[in-house]
Amino acid sequence: MTQVHIDDAVTPAPGPARKSITDRLFDITARRTTVGREVRGGITTFVAMAYIVLLNPLILGASADITGAKLSAAQVTTATALAAAVMTILMGLVGNAPLALAAGLGINGIVAFQMAPAMTWPQAFGLVVLEGVCIVLMAVSGIRERIMNAIPAPLKMAITVGIGLYIALVGLVSAGFVTRTPDSAESTVPVRLGFDGHLDGWPIAVFCFGLLLMTVLMSRKVPGAVLISIAVSTVLAVVLHDGLSVGNWGLTTPTLPSHVVAVPDFGLLGHIDLFGGFASAGALTATIFLFTLVLSGFFDAMGTITSVSAEAGLSKDGRVPRMGRILFVDGAGAIAGGLSGSSPNTVFLESAAGVGEGARTGLASVVTGALFAATLLFTPIAGIVPAQAAAPALVVIGGMMVAQCRNIPWQDSDYTIPVFLTVGLIPFTYSITNGVGAGLIAFVLIKTCKGKWREAGWILTVLALVFTVYFGIDVVKAVL
């Protein structure tokens, strides 16, 4: 009888390690990140953009509608936090991208100061819902993704650089490091250092301290560098304000709240009138409002998604994974903003702060969204972090995004001026849409004049014509 030895037995090869549910859901390992890093990134993004919970009620509350009615600050605060929480979590689960959504700055100004005076608030929010429907339809049909893919790589890089300069400028302005020069005959520059041409006061010192601390920590590759800097700067600001009575902090005063819990007010939820605005403001005016909302929401989000995804290393050959889903969620954000009464929600530039902290997946967005949900009850705590503590993250991350300049073919005359217009006009006009539009018009014009109109393609040609109408909308309105 043949004897079988243990040593002769075949040992099964070990199978692949079983992935956790979190890893399977968010591709943690595939994107070379960790749960801890995603959590830090999600917290950092929330801290960088939590100001919107306080700022949006101030903007929407500063205007009255056609009947003279004003919005309740408590209701807008609840609506802002609710929409941001739901849509950011949805972005994480559906789009698996480190992109947070909230009421878009600039777009909320259009709603408050242009639309509301011509119609009632429910009618204005109804137009916002229609904007979202238009963007969702473009996303579902694939038109939106085709437009994004049609834009040449050098112009996409230019958008990233322009947005980098934009968010850096936003950070400098929000901290008071750079301020607008008052209009006067003696003024020779539009902006200046500090409030009177030089830096002064403890709030600016906190910003400078946070900026230097963040720079040093990031250069030494300290995990959580951005979050650590924001936390330390916030503590310093609280000590200065509560301990030494230092003032002039701007929108957010760094003081320990008397209470930590606030009851949410859902009074604006679902109060919309989809088509009433066409009757109140007139069909032409309401259509122009809708056109402006769609164009601004479309290209602001496109630029942010492209640049933040590139910074996170998610782009492959200029294309972002799950782009169709990401664009769908972004369009749905506008619908959610109208239904909640918070104005259109869109992807926020401050998502770059979380990416700078290491966020690479939708788990970071889920964390950010959960923190927005918490602010429904803990709004007082969200108001502790002053702009001077959070702004350094925007400046540092903006600087990192500008590094894309090295990949732009500046020697190619077909791109030199379009790229320059894109990069320059985004920060100079405080609008991604303006920069993208000017760059596309210049690119198509150059190609056409050189007899290369086929290289521009019909999609970019149509977009150039649309942006021409956008820039001359007042003339078009006067003619019609």
Side-chain angles (χ1 to χ4, degrees):
M1 179 180 293
T2 304
Q3 294 183 343
V4 178
H5 299 281
I6 297 297
D7 292 341
D8 295 331
V10 177
T11 303
R18 186 177 181 82
K19 292 183 178 180
S20 65
I21 296 178
T22 303
D23 199 351
R24 294 199 302 271
L25 186 60
F26 297 107
D27 296 330
I28 301 292
T29 302
R31 296 191 182 180
R32 299 180 180 180
T33 183
T34 64
V35 171
R37 190 180 298 165
E38 295 301 306
V39 171
R40 286 200 308 270
I43 295 173
T44 301
T45 295
F46 170 77
V47 171
M49 61 185 290
Y51 68 87
I52 193 62
V53 177
L54 303 174
L55 182 57
N56 197 44
L58 292 180
I59 294 175
L60 293 182
S63 179
D65 69 7
I66 194 172
T67 68
K70 287 196 170 186
L71 296 176
S72 160
Q75 291 178 346
V76 178
T77 299
T78 298
T80 303
L82 176 64
V86 172
M87 297 315 304
T88 302
I89 291 175
L90 192 62
M91 177 64 79
L93 296 176
V94 177
N96 193 23
L99 300 168
L101 289 83
L105 289 175
I107 304 179
N108 55 5
I110 295 173
V111 175
F113 303 114
Q114 296 182 34
M115 295 170 58
M119 60 189 71
T120 66
W121 285 112
Q123 290 168 352
F125 290 132
L127 279 184
V128 170
V129 171
L130 292 178
E131 174 220 344
V133 171
C134 291
I135 294 178
V136 166
L137 289 176
M138 286 190 286
V140 171
S141 65
I143 293 176
R144 195 175 183 189
E145 189 169 359
R146 288 187 65 184
I147 291 174
M148 293 182 69
N149 291 336
I151 297 177
L155 289 184
K156 288 181 179 177
M157 295 174 196
I159 293 171
T160 299
V161 174
I163 290 177
L165 293 173
Y166 179 22
I167 65 173
L169 181 59
V170 168
L172 293 171
V173 170
S174 64
F177 192 91
V178 171
T179 62
R180 178 178 178 272
T181 302
D183 295 328
S184 68
E186 293 79 19
S187 298
T188 58
V189 293
V191 294
R192 62 187 175 181
L193 186 68
F195 290 97
D196 54 2
H198 65 276
L199 301 178
D200 184 33
W202 282 107
I204 297 296
V206 170
F207 167 75
C208 294
F209 167 78
L211 182 60
L212 294 174
L213 176 61
M214 192 176 298
T215 301
V216 171
L217 293 179
M218 292 188 72
S219 67
R220 295 182 65 86
K221 302 186 184 303
V222 175
V226 175
L227 194 56
I228 291 172
S229 175
I230 293 175
V232 172
S233 299
T234 299
V235 171
L236 175 59
V238 171
V239 170
L240 288 171
H241 180 270
D242 289 352
L244 302 177
S245 300
V246 173
N248 298 321
W249 294 95
L251 175 66
T252 304
T253 301
T255 184
L256 295 177
S258 58
H259 59 283
V260 297
V261 178
V263 179
D265 186 341
F266 297 97
L268 291 177
L269 188 62
H271 284 198
I272 63 168
D273 181 350
L274 278 180
F275 302 104
F278 291 90
S280 294
L284 177 61
T285 299
T287 301
I288 290 174
F289 284 149
L290 183 59
F291 173 75
T292 303
L293 286 176
V294 171
L295 206 61
S296 297
F298 186 109
F299 285 97
D300 276 19
M302 185 200 74
T304 303
I305 292 168
T306 300
S307 59
V308 174
S309 298
E311 189 65 26
L314 301 180
S315 300
K316 297 178 181 178
D317 299 325
R319 302 193 177 192
V320 181
R322 296 196 182 190
M323 178 58 83
R325 297 185 181 187
I326 292 173
L327 296 177
F328 174 83
V329 175
D330 176 71
I335 297 177
L339 291 174
S340 65
S342 65
S343 80
N345 276 227
T346 188
V347 176
F348 250 56
L349 287 170
E350 283 79 357
S351 302
V355 168
E357 192 58 60
R360 297 292 181 271
T361 75
L363 179 58
S365 294
V366 172
V367 172
T368 302
L371 291 173
F372 269 117
T375 61
L376 287 169
L377 293 175
F378 300 102
T379 304
I381 295 179
I384 295 177
V385 181
Q388 291 79 3
L394 302 183
V395 177
V396 170
I397 302 306
M400 294 171 62
M401 294 171 70
V402 171
Q404 285 286 338
C405 267
R406 67 182 182 274
N407 298 319
I408 295 175
W410 293 101
Q411 73 284 356
D412 190 335
S413 60
D414 288 358
Y415 290 106
T416 304
I417 298 302
V419 164
F420 170 74
L421 290 174
T422 302
V423 170
L425 289 182
I426 288 177
F428 290 160
T429 66
Y430 258 54
S431 170
I432 298 172
T433 301
N434 290 344
V436 173
L440 286 178
I441 291 174
F443 178 73
V444 171
L445 181 62
I446 289 172
K447 287 292 188 181
T448 301
C449 291
K450 295 177 71 172
K452 301 178 180 178
W453 61 271
R454 287 188 179 86
E455 294 183 12
W458 70 269
I459 293 179
L460 295 189
T461 301
V462 170
L463 285 179
L465 293 174
V466 170
F467 273 113
T468 300
V469 174
Y470 169 76
F471 287 126
I473 194 69
D474 289 337
V475 176
V476 173
K477 185 176 180 180
V479 171
L480 297 177

